[in-house]
Amino acid sequence: MRRRRLVHGLAAVVTLTFRPVTRADFALLRRWLEQPHVARWWNHATTSEALDRDFGGTADGTEPGEDLLALDDGEPVGLVQRSRLVDFADYRDEFAALTDVPDGAVTIDYLVGDPGRVGRGLGTAMIRAVVADTWRAYPRAPAVLVAVVAANARSWRALERAGFRRVAEGPMNPDNPVDDPLHYVYRLDRPDTGTVTGSG
């Protein structure tokens, strides 16, 4: 579990940590995915079968990618999904149709679960924290790429506050079929801190 101190809201400082989602967390994920502010954009089925299909493989370690619970002083507050684009060829190809995808690039998706904490800076803090963790966990990842449906202004503004820059826009498959396919693609490059080591 990695720790990162970040500004949350206007003045408070919180400690965000991450841990892998387990099957014991599926009931919590169901509650979050059923919240209107999440369901609008994730459009995710919440049956036991759907949760097992979409989160069971990563929980069991049989599929690539990570599902991570974001914790604020030990309390679950959000979900981050993280993966190498090379492990999901169809999604990588969607990115590649719009922008350069460097070898080893990582992508993330995220949600704030508690509706009472939406609009208080937690999403930006989660993004900053997971990116910092990504540079450690994936030492050869040169960049993080994120695609956000253009209509989801709250999400792409959080990326901008976290230091991402918009590098492309164009059609990608939206999670919710009611949305226009127009997506904005954001990128954050690894800071230049000298020699990269490791094999991630």
Side-chain angles (χ1 to χ4, degrees), residues 6-12 14 72 75 77 112 114-126 128 154 158 161:
L6 293 156
V7 175
H8 171 212
L10 296 178
V14 300
D72 177 359
E75 176 190 358
V77 294
V112 173
D114 181 357
R117 303 191 69 165
V118 172
R120 296 173 53 193
L122 180 59
T124 299
M126 285 171 50
R128 287 177 177 153
R154 186 187 298 275
R161 287 192 296 269

Side-chain angles (χ1 to χ4, degrees), residues 1-2 17-22 25 28-29 32 42 55 58-59 65-71 76-83 106-112 126 129-131 133-134 137-138:
M1 192 178 299
R2 310 218 182 243
T17 62
F18 297 96
R19 69 163 175 81
V21 166
T22 70
D25 300 314
L28 174 63
L29 295 184
W32 284 352
W42 280 60
F55 298 100
T58 50
E66 300 169 275
D67 295 320
L68 304 170
L69 279 189
L71 311 174
V77 294
L79 172 71
V80 176
Q81 295 186 310
R82 178 171 64 184
S83 61
V106 169
T107 189
I108 59 172
D109 201 356
Y110 41 85
L111 65 85
V112 173
M126 285 171 50
V130 80
V131 167
D133 182 75
T134 298
Y138 296 81

Side-chain angles (χ1 to χ4, degrees), residues 25-182:
D25 300 314
F26 285 8
L28 174 63
L29 295 184
R30 175 182 289 112
R31 291 196 298 274
W32 284 352
L33 291 166
E34 290 174 347
Q35 293 292 327
H37 75 282
V38 176
R40 167 63 184 88
W41 303 110
W42 280 60
N43 191 43
H44 197 291
T46 58
T47 64
S48 296
E49 294 78 12
L51 292 168
D52 182 73
R53 178 193 67 219
D54 295 332
F55 298 100
T58 50
D60 297 340
T62 59
E63 294 181 4
E66 300 169 275
D67 295 320
L68 304 170
L69 279 189
L71 311 174
D72 177 359
D73 289 335
E75 176 190 358
V77 294
L79 172 71
V80 176
Q81 295 186 310
R82 178 171 64 184
S83 61
R84 299 185 310 157
L85 281 167
V86 70
D87 292 327
F88 295 89
D90 290 346
Y91 196 38
R92 178 201 59 206
D93 291 347
E94 283 195 89
F95 275 96
L98 302 177
T99 190
D100 174 61
V101 179
D103 290 343
V106 169
T107 189
I108 59 172
D109 201 356
Y110 41 85
L111 65 85
V112 173
D114 181 357
R117 303 191 69 165
V118 172
R120 296 173 53 193
L122 180 59
T124 299
M126 285 171 50
I127 293 166
R128 287 177 177 153
V130 80
V131 167
D133 182 75
T134 298
W135 303 143
R136 295 186 292 263
Y138 296 81
R140 296 202 174 274
V144 178
L145 296 176
V146 185
V148 181
V149 68
N152 192 353
R154 186 187 298 275
S155 182
W156 54 258
R157 286 175 181 152
L159 287 167
E160 291 176 353
R161 287 192 296 269
F164 281 74
R165 59 189 173 90
R166 190 182 302 178
V167 295
E169 58 183 72
M172 299 176 74
N173 290 323
D175 290 331
N176 193 329
V178 305
D179 286 314
D180 187 274
L182 178 63

